[in-house]
Amino acid sequence: MAREHEQITTIFNETYPNLCRFLESLLGRDNQAQDIAQESFLRLYQTEFGQIPISEARFWLFRVARNLALNELDKKRTRIKFWQRVGEVFRVQSQSPAELLELNEAQKAVRKLLDSLPEHQRSALLLREEEEMSYREIAFVLNVSESKIKIDIFRARAALRAEWQKREENKR
Amino acid sequence: MKIRFFLALVLFLLSVLAAGDSKSFSVSARSGERRVQFQVMTIEENAGGRKVLAETIVEGLPGTDFNINLQTERFKMQARFLTDLIASDALKVRANLNTRRLFGYSPANLPLYEEDAQKHALEINFDETIVLLPFGRGAAETLKIEITPTLLSASMSETPLKINIGKQLSSGEIFVEAAKIPHRFETEVVLLADGHEVARAVADSLLEEAGEIVLQPDAKAEKEITEKPLTVKLSVDKYTRSRPADSVAISFNVFRAQNNQIETIIPKAAGAAPLGGELRYVLEENYFSGGKKYELKFKVRLAKGERAD
Amino acid sequence: MNCQYTEKISLLVDGEMSAEETRNVEAHLANCADCERLKNDFLFFRRQIKESARQMTATANILPNQKLKNKNYLWRRQVPLPVSAFALIMIALAAFGAWSAFSRFGRSENNPVSEITKQSASPEKKFAPPEQSELSLARFDKGGRAEIYTIRRQSADGNEPGGNEK
């Protein structure tokens, strides 16, 4: 029993900051990332905890958190005129975190390019690079097939590369 | 189901025509003694059996309404339930189902939706259960939402409404909400000729249900009013809580009938007024030969025994 | 770039291929400058993302630092996690941990959290495939139309699939 409590505490400590960070990529810095992260923890532990192995808890958390975040965004989306391209809606609207932190130019540029990706590509790439999840785990969090994850991650990287090269050329 | 509704409407008409004055619903006086409880269970059913995924219990005075909202990534359902206790062992439940499903994208990359709207009026006893299938049937595994009503005796605490949230889906895709607004109203319709009352009727109305009210002319009325009384088909559509007073929205049409011929005077009209307030509507002169200016005056109040909270 | 190995480079940097496939792709890399550049670019983005992520986590939920405070952010509604809220969450977690330990009496699987955080691509990894442990209700959606009907309850099990519809 004590060991379980330890494990839960460990999961909380390890996951909460990363979850907040992931949610910020969806919602923007000033928008409820912490609320949703906390809500995800509470929901998960209230309902499913008895049935989920602790080893999987982290993935359930990300999945629940992302769904809650998408619900939040959906509320905003319905207010925007419907003929805007769906991809643009998920662009982070508020001031980007990159501008607030002490990042070097390359890091800032990459973060900005990330924000311009469609949500499912951005989330897949961030879960891969920041959270080091396997394709299978990412497929679970995003509730799509593994083959879609493969494609999305490749396209995200290819898009970053193309934009980066454009940027480099404009500099000259 | 349709036959029962029609039957109820005919009985309603007869009682209005015969009595000509207000007749409150038989249980309204007793509704303060009882409470109704709705257990809303979300169930997964497949060849292997049933599994309860979520549960919410709504409890309140008779006339408690609840909504079941379901939203997944591509599908959204809103099911509104208006409930009324119509006898000591019978409930009238009116369900409005609205669903919307993302179907795909058009060549211009705009989202295409498949929408459906259904209206059902169910009359059930307390040994029956309402089953809602958001995705229909026929698949290997079915999602069922079962609503089980129970009649309880009044609790010691006088809360109008209680929602107990039991097991919930961590995905948050199902959400139950409830509200208690008055359902029973007394509608008074008066016909004025040059500002003087010449015909009137008072009838009970149930929220979101149309009823016909025949205006009874009095001695002062012109012959054309006495020979061809006006009928108002009216529905109290919406009740809104507001300050300083709650307001109601009504819609109606006005016609008169003689020898199986119906002449429409007002085809479609609507208006809103504070509860107990007046709504006036001027009738067109073309229909009346006496040269008088005719007006309809509406007043909607809560029915006897109906609570505002 | 129309090299047929292009998409495999992405899989390579993620370690998502079998040992044999990996060998093949690495062998190709020795001869293809384009793919080598692509791989380096992907790794470059990875570095930028990881390094900036480290900074983001550090400031994700602490009180705003002086630099941020000095700017006039009217839009910022972010609430830092106060100690009391944190304590409340820990108590709730402890309570649920105790409760779930109780209700899970008899279960044997209890893998330490650290196993999953390690990067691993082996197919026999212990993880339930999405089809078996779905939470989303979208799995029920086969495009059918919503229906509503009433059934009479049986006294014991209340399970009557073909009830009388009205």
Side-chain angles (χ1 to χ4, degrees):
Chain A
M1 204 151 115
R3 179 144 198 267
E4 283 234 5
H5 174 141
E6 246 174 68
Q7 287 173 334
I8 300 167
T9 316
T10 313
I11 296 174
F12 182 81
N13 288 337
E14 289 181 358
T15 319
Y16 183 76
N18 293 7
L19 198 60
C20 285
R21 177 181 66 198
F22 176 67
L23 285 169
E24 281 177 9
S25 75
L26 289 171
L27 299 166
R29 196 173 177 85
D30 58 335
N31 273 324
Q32 304 146 297
Q34 284 182 21
D35 291 336
I36 293 188
Q38 289 164 28
E39 174 75 26
S40 314
F41 270 92
L42 289 173
R43 280 199 188 209
L44 203 69
Y45 290 123
Q46 269 170 4
T47 65
E48 301 295 333
F49 190 70
Q51 293 137 42
I52 297 177
I54 290 190
S55 55
E56 293 177 24
R58 181 164 157 259
F59 309 108
W60 288 106
L61 281 168
F62 271 88
R63 179 162 156 161
V64 169
R66 178 180 170 259
N67 284 340
L68 290 174
L70 292 183
N71 281 348
E72 264 312 301
L73 288 172
D74 202 44
K75 288 182 200 166
K76 289 180 197 160
R77 185 190 349 191
T78 53
R79 289 184 228 132
I80 297 175
K81 288 179 188 170
F82 71 91
W83 52 77
Q84 278 182 346
R85 287 183 62 81
V86 173
E88 287 174 358
V89 175
F90 284 108
R91 188 177 313 154
V92 168
Q93 300 287 353
S94 64
Q95 194 162 3
S96 89
E99 286 154 23
L100 301 172
L101 305 168
E102 321 248 5
L103 300 179
N104 65 32
E105 284 308 310
Q107 289 169 359
K108 275 197 211 163
V110 170
R111 281 283 155 185
K112 207 151 178 211
L113 290 180
L114 272 176
D115 286 346
S116 69
L117 292 176
E119 185 270 332
H120 52 101
Q121 282 180 17
R122 181 172 73 237
S123 293
L125 187 60
L126 288 179
L127 289 174
R128 174 84 264 302
E129 307 291 35
E130 288 182 350
E131 301 299 322
E132 294 180 349
M133 290 188 190
S134 72
Y135 285 7
R136 198 168 189 193
E137 290 158 359
I138 300 175
F140 172 75
V141 171
L142 302 185
N143 198 17
V144 294
S145 67
E146 235 181 278
S147 45
K148 180 157 200 316
I149 298 300
K150 269 187 216 168
I151 297 173
D152 277 346
I153 289 183
F154 172 72
R155 284 186 182 160
R157 288 174 170 148
L160 286 180
R161 188 169 189 250
E163 286 301 314
W164 186 268
Q165 282 169 345
K166 238 193 268 176
R167 203 175 146 270
E168 294 294 299
E169 269 167 44
N170 287 342
K171 275 195 202 161
R172 294 196 205 113
Chain B
M1 166 177 96
K2 281 211 174 102
I3 296 176
R4 286 202 194 186
F5 179 78
F6 181 72
L7 213 61
L9 190 60
V10 168
L11 287 173
F12 175 86
L13 271 176
L14 286 176
S15 69
V16 165
L17 289 172
D21 57 30
S22 74
K23 210 177 188 146
S24 48
F25 289 95
S26 56
V27 286
S28 60
R30 295 206 298 273
S31 63
E33 296 171 356
R34 310 292 255 156
R35 289 171 78 80
V36 274
Q37 182 193 81
F38 297 99
Q39 181 195 43
V40 180
M41 283 211 296
T42 305
I43 293 169
E44 169 183 349
E45 203 172 85
N46 51 34
R50 283 158 62 97
K51 182 177 166 200
V52 176
L53 301 175
E55 186 190 8
T56 302
I57 296 183
V58 174
E59 186 208 303
L61 296 166
T64 296
D65 306 325
F66 57 94
N67 295 349
I68 301 175
N69 301 313
L70 189 158
Q71 180 153 18
T72 65
E73 218 166 327
R74 299 180 153 245
F75 179 83
K76 187 171 166 166
M77 174 188 85
Q78 193 200 41
R80 287 178 52 233
F81 293 86
L82 288 169
T83 74
D84 288 285
L85 193 64
I86 53 175
S88 58
D89 63 345
L91 267 181
K92 180 166 164 177
V93 179
R94 286 173 288 161
N96 280 332
L97 289 183
N98 287 295
T99 66
R100 193 171 87 147
R101 182 182 277 119
L102 180 67
F103 185 73
Y105 290 88
S106 72
N109 230 8
L110 298 172
L112 298 172
Y113 291 98
E114 177 189 59
E115 298 187 0
D116 184 26
Q118 301 180 34
K119 266 179 150 60
H120 299 264
L122 310 165
E123 274 188 32
I124 56 171
N125 301 321
F126 288 96
D127 61 351
E128 294 178 85
T129 295
I130 300 173
V131 180
L132 167 61
L133 307 175
F135 304 110
R137 46 174 118 204
E141 44 178 14
T142 313
L143 185 70
K144 278 190 180 180
I145 301 180
E146 289 185 0
I147 301 150
T148 305
T150 319
L151 196 58
L152 308 170
S153 46
S155 60
M156 300 301 277
S157 57
E158 261 279 300
T159 53
L161 189 57
K162 258 199 295 191
I163 304 184
N164 292 327
I165 300 182
K167 188 168 183 195
Q168 288 296 284
L169 291 169
S170 62
S171 58
E173 286 165 334
I174 289 202
F175 179 61
V176 176
E177 48 191 2
K180 169 81 179 63
I181 56 172
H183 283 185
R184 294 192 181 78
F185 304 93
E186 189 184 79
T187 308
E188 179 189 279
V189 188
V190 172
L191 180 68
L192 301 169
D194 286 340
H196 299 291
E197 182 180 314
V198 295
R200 69 160 30 222
V202 180
D204 284 333
S205 303
L206 193 60
L207 188 71
E208 289 192 31
E209 199 159 277
E212 287 190 3
I213 304 171
V214 180
L215 299 178
Q216 300 298 315
D218 66 16
K220 285 184 281 183
E222 296 280 325
K223 210 162 154 217
E224 63 176 343
I225 303 294
T226 320
E227 282 174 2
K228 288 193 286 182
L230 294 178
T231 305
V232 177
K233 183 169 173 188
L234 178 145
S235 154
V236 180
D237 291 331
K238 199 167 168 192
Y239 186 89
T240 313
R241 296 214 182 269
S242 179
R243 303 252 166 181
D246 294 343
S247 65
V248 283
I250 62 172
S251 61
F252 58 93
N253 57 39
V254 181
F255 58 92
R256 59 188 172 195
Q258 192 187 43
N259 302 331
N260 291 330
Q261 273 184 317
I262 294 187
E263 186 188 0
T264 305
I265 312 251
I266 300 173
K268 203 169 171 181
L275 195 62
E278 245 177 43
L279 195 65
R280 287 200 182 213
Y281 204 101
V282 177
L283 301 176
E284 272 193 59
E285 292 166 0
N286 306 348
Y287 296 102
F288 304 98
S289 50
K292 294 196 172 176
K293 179 179 158 201
Y294 284 99
E295 250 186 318
L296 275 175
K297 194 172 78 174
F298 296 90
K299 242 191 221 177
V300 179
R301 292 181 283 262
L302 293 179
K304 292 188 187 60
E306 183 73 340
R307 296 160 61 131
D309 57 1
Chain C
M1 265 196 68
N2 47 8
C3 177
Q4 50 156 332
Y5 280 90
T6 308
E7 287 181 28
K8 297 229 157 95
I9 303 296
S10 185
L11 294 164
L12 178 75
V13 302
D14 291 336
E16 290 274 348
M17 290 189 294
S18 68
E20 191 188 331
E21 283 181 292
T22 309
R23 271 196 299 274
N24 285 344
V25 176
E26 284 179 343
H28 166 80
L29 274 178
N31 302 324
C32 181
D34 280 345
C35 284
E36 182 70 30
R37 258 194 298 272
L38 189 67
K39 177 181 128 191
N40 291 334
D41 285 350
F42 286 175
L43 290 175
F44 167 75
F45 290 124
R46 171 174 294 172
R47 269 200 308 281
Q48 305 311 315
I49 293 175
K50 284 193 163 179
E51 282 167 14
S52 52
R54 229 169 284 143
Q55 291 227 31
M56 288 176 73
T57 320
T59 57
N61 59 343
I62 58 173
L63 291 164
N65 60 26
Q66 281 306 113
K67 187 172 180 191
L68 296 178
K69 246 192 211 165
N70 292 338
K71 296 195 190 178
N72 200 9
Y73 293 136
L74 293 170
W75 45 260
R76 188 156 45 85
R77 293 183 295 112
Q78 184 175 17
V79 177
L81 192 61
V83 173
S84 51
F86 186 88
L88 214 65
I89 291 175
M90 294 315 295
I91 291 170
L93 286 174
F96 283 121
W99 171 85
S100 75
F102 232 76
S103 57
R104 282 181 49 195
F105 185 78
R107 286 223 185 185
S108 53
E109 54 209 317
N110 230 342
N111 299 318
V113 176
S114 53
E115 256 185 30
I116 299 297
T117 55
K118 264 188 262 160
Q119 179 187 346
S120 162
S122 59
E124 54 274 6
K125 195 156 128 108
K126 187 173 181 348
F127 183 72
E131 301 77 46
Q132 287 171 12
S133 47
E134 278 281 344
L135 274 187
S136 170
L137 298 178
R139 72 187 186 278
F140 296 103
D141 189 357
K142 306 287 179 228
R145 189 176 184 218
E147 263 190 60
I148 189 166
Y149 57 89
T150 60
I151 57 170
R152 181 148 276 128
R153 290 203 290 283
Q154 304 286 51
S155 47
D157 54 353
N159 188 2
E160 198 170 76
N164 60 326
E165 291 172 48
K166 299 185 188 175

